[in-house]
Amino acid sequence: MHRHVRRPRWLVIGALLALPACAGAQAQVTARVDQQAVSQDETVQLTVTVSGSGLSMFTEPTLPDLKGFRVVGTSTQQSIALVGGSMQSSMNYVYELEPTRTRKLTIPPVTVTIGGKSYHTQSFSIIVTPG
């Protein structure tokens, strides 16, 4: 004998209401450098920030080919806050870059993938003088 199972309406309604929140998860990917002119014996700190609400599946940043720089250190910083009833999270990826030559060098855009979508930061020009 086949028995039909009724699901409570509030369960279905709750699931439908949650869909826009998941689909509307807002992400922001930004980058900054701590200085735009350095001597060859100094380092440049590149910070890539991934922030937003409803973030769950994202990859670590993919660094481009950093011609003229060597990565000499990395660190991460995470913060989570409840803002207006929604959870806001932020993850900073910090890269310590040492120039390997003098001249005007470019740090190309960094890529971060969130939920299958790729986000790209801006590029930076760094002037490196002899140490």
Side-chain angles (χ1 to χ4, degrees):
M1 182 172 215
H2 190 274
R3 195 169 121 172
H4 182 65
V5 177
R6 288 188 65 180
R7 291 186 176 90
R9 285 186 185 162
W10 59 267
L11 181 62
V12 175
I13 293 170
L16 290 174
L17 289 174
L19 286 176
C22 293
Q26 296 296 316
Q28 184 176 15
V29 178
T30 59
R32 67 180 184 279
V33 292
D34 65 339
Q35 42 192 343
Q36 294 179 335
V38 295
S39 66
Q40 196 171 8
D41 57 354
E42 294 179 297
T43 60
V44 174
Q45 193 174 75
L46 170 66
T47 303
V48 179
T49 302
V50 180
S51 60
S53 62
L55 296 180
S56 58
M57 300 296 288
F58 66 90
T59 62
E60 283 192 31
T62 303
L63 289 179
D65 186 10
L66 297 170
K67 294 178 182 169
F69 290 100
R70 175 177 40 245
V71 178
V72 294
T74 61
S75 65
T76 58
Q77 304 162 338
Q78 182 178 17
S79 66
I80 299 173
L82 193 58
V83 179
S86 68
M87 188 169 68
Q88 300 286 324
S89 59
S90 178
M91 186 72 146
N92 288 333
Y93 296 89
V94 182
Y95 303 93
E96 200 73 28
L97 307 177
E98 178 181 77
T100 59
R101 59 182 180 225
T102 59
R103 71 170 68 141
K104 182 177 179 181
L105 301 175
T106 299
I107 299 173
V110 176
T111 302
V112 177
T113 303
I114 303 171
K117 182 178 177 184
S118 292
Y119 295 80
H120 306 279
T121 68
Q122 73 275 22
S123 61
F124 297 96
S125 294
I126 309 293
I127 297 171
V128 182
T129 57

